[in-house]
C-alpha cells in the first residue's frame, strides 16, 4: 500500500476510534470486520459484453488492491457471465486481486419458486455464483412506482372521494338547497393550497405503494439470508420526508421492518447502505458530510438497540448518492462510513477505479 493510501486508512481507523465506538472496536479487535466496501450498482445499464469490458478495465486500474472489498452489481442478464469471469484464481493471477471482488445482484424475489413471471429467486442467484444482493434500493421502493402511471390517477380519485365524504356529512341534516350551499361553502373554505398539498401527499403515498413496500423488502431480506446470500440493505428518505423532519422516523421504520426476525447470527451477513433519495442520480447534490455522519450515527445506534454493541461496531454502513472521485475521500473519512454504493460513476472505469483506490493516487 502506498503512503497516501496508508495515511487514508490510518485516518480512517483513527477517526473511527475517536468516535463513540472505539472501545467496542478495540474489543472486537479486527479492522477486517470493517474493511471498506466499495460497490458499483450498474442499474439498468450494460449488456453482458460491455459489462465484461468495463470490469476488465476496472480490475486493470485496481491491480494489487487487496484491502478494499469491491462489489459489482450488473443487471440480471450480466450476472452469469460476470460470475464466470471474476473467479478468484483468475483475478489473482491476472490482476493481483485477492478474494475481495464480489458479484452482487440488484434485487431478488422472496419466494423459492412458482408462478412469479419475471422474478428471480435467491437460489437462482446462488447457483450462478452471486455472493450478495442489493435489497430495498430506492429505485425499487418508490421511484419505479411513477413509471407504472398508477399514483396520480388514484390520488385524484382519493382526493375527490375525500371531498365527497366531507360533503356527505353535511347532506344528512339539511335540505337539498342547503346542501348545495353547504357544499359550495365547504369548497370555498378549503384553501387551494391545502387541496394541492393533499393531492401531492396522496400521490407520494401511492407512488410508494406502487413500488416495493417495507414488508416486501423484509421478506426479500429473509429469503436471501436463508439462501446464504449477503444482503446490502438500502434505506433512505426522500426530500419531502427530510423537509418534514421525518428522516429518522422513516429510517427507523425501514430498518426495523426489514430486519424483523433476523437473528443476531445472520445479521453479520447484512450491510446497510444509506442512500438519501434526493442525493441519488445525475444532477443531484450529494448529502453533506454532516448529514451523512448524523444518519450513520443514527443507524449504528439503531443497530445497537436491536443487536447490541458488538454488532453495531462491526456492521458495515455504506453511503450512496453522487459519490465521485473528487468527494470519495472526504466521505470515506467520516466516522461511521464503511464504504460507498456508487451508481453513475461506477459505469466509468476510470472514475470507479479512483473511487476504489481512494487516496492511493
Ligand atoms: P448515483 O451514484 O448515480 O447517485 O447513484 C447512487 C445509487 O443509487 C447507488 O445504488
Amino acid at each position: 500500500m502506498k503512503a497516501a493510501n496508508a495515511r487514508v486508512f490510518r485516518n480512517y481507523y483513527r477517526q473511527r476510534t475517536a468516535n463513540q465506538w472505539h472501545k467496542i472496536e478495540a474489543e472486537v479487535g479486527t479492522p477486517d470486520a470493517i474493511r471498506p466496501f466499495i460497490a458499483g450498482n450498474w442499474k439498468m445499464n450494460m449488456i453482458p459484453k460491455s459489462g465484461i469490458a468495463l470490469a476488465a478495465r476496472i480490475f486493470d486500474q485496481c491491480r494489487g488492491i487487496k484491502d478494499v472489498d469491491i462489489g459489482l452489481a450488473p443487471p440480471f442478464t450480466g450476472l452469469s457471465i460476470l460470475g464466470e469471469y471474476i473467479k478468484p484464481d483468475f483475478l489473482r493471477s491476472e490482476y493481483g486481486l485477492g478474494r475481495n471482488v464480489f458479484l452482487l445482484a440488484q434485487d431478488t424475489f422472496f419466494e423459492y419458486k412458482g408462478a412469479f413471471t419475471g422474478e428471480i429467486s435467491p437460489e437462482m442467484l446462488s447457483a450462478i455464483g452471486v455472493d450478495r444482493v442489493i435489497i430495498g434500493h430506492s429505485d425499487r421502493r418508490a421511484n419505479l412506482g411513477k413509471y407504472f402511471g398508477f399514483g396520480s390517477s388514484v390520488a385524484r380519485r382519493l382526493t375527490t372521494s375525500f371531498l365527497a365524504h366531507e360533503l356527505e356529512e353535511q347532506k344528512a341534516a339539511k335540505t337539498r338547497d342547503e346542501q348545495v350551499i353547504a357544499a359550495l361553502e365547504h369548497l370555498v373554505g378549503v384553501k387551494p393550497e391545502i387541496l394541492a398539498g393533499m393531492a401531492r401527499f396522496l400521490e407520494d403515498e401511492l407512488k410508494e405503494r406502487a413500488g416495493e413496500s417495507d414488508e416486501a423488502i423484509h421478506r426479500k431480506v429473509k429469503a436471501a439470508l436463508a439462501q446464504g446470500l449477503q444482503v446490502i440493505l438500502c434505506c433512505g428518505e426522500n426530500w419531502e420526508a427530510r423537509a418534514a423532519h421525518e428522516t429518522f422516523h422513516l429510517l427507523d421504520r425501514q430498518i426495523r421492518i426489514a430486519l424483523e426476525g433476523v437473528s443476531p447470527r445472520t445479521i453479520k451477513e447484512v450491510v446497510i447502505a444509506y442512500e438519501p433519495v434526493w442525493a441519488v442520480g445525475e444532477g443531484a447534490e450529494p448529502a453533506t458530510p454532516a448529514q451523512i455522519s448524523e444518519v450513520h450515527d443514527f443507524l449504528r445506534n439503531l443497530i445497537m438497540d436491536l443487536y447490541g454493541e458488538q454488532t453495531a461496531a462491526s456492521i458495515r454502513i455504506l453511503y450512496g448518492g453522487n459519490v465521485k472521485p473528487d468527494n470519495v475521500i472526504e466521505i470515506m473519512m467520516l466516522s461511521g462510513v464503511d464504504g460507498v454504493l456508487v451508481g453513475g460513476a461506477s459505469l466509468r472505469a476510470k472514475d470507479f477505479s479512483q473511487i476504489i483506490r481512494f487516496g492511493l493516487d
Side-chain angles (χ1 to χ4, degrees), residues 119-175:
E119 297 296 343
I120 307 279
S121 74
E123 187 196 29
M124 292 169 176
L125 295 177
S126 292
I128 55 167
V130 172
D131 305 291
R132 301 169 185 210
V133 57
I134 298 172
I135 294 179
H137 193 281
S138 62
D139 287 347
R140 306 196 57 80
R141 276 185 191 268
N143 295 351
L144 281 179
K146 64 178 175 255
Y147 293 104
F148 298 136
F150 173 70
S152 55
S153 68
V154 178
R156 263 199 305 278
R157 280 210 302 280
L158 275 182
T159 312
T160 317
S161 67
F162 169 83
L163 283 176
H165 172 75
E166 292 276 300
L167 298 178
E168 196 68 33
E169 286 183 359
Q170 299 172 39
K171 253 188 223 165
K174 298 186 168 83
T175 65

Side-chain angles (χ1 to χ4, degrees), residues 16-29 309-310 313:
R16 289 184 64 96
T17 54
N19 77 16
Q20 57 181 313
W21 305 107
H22 79 101
K23 183 173 79 54
I24 310 156
E25 274 176 33
E27 280 163 17
V28 173
E309 292 189 349
Q310 286 232 345

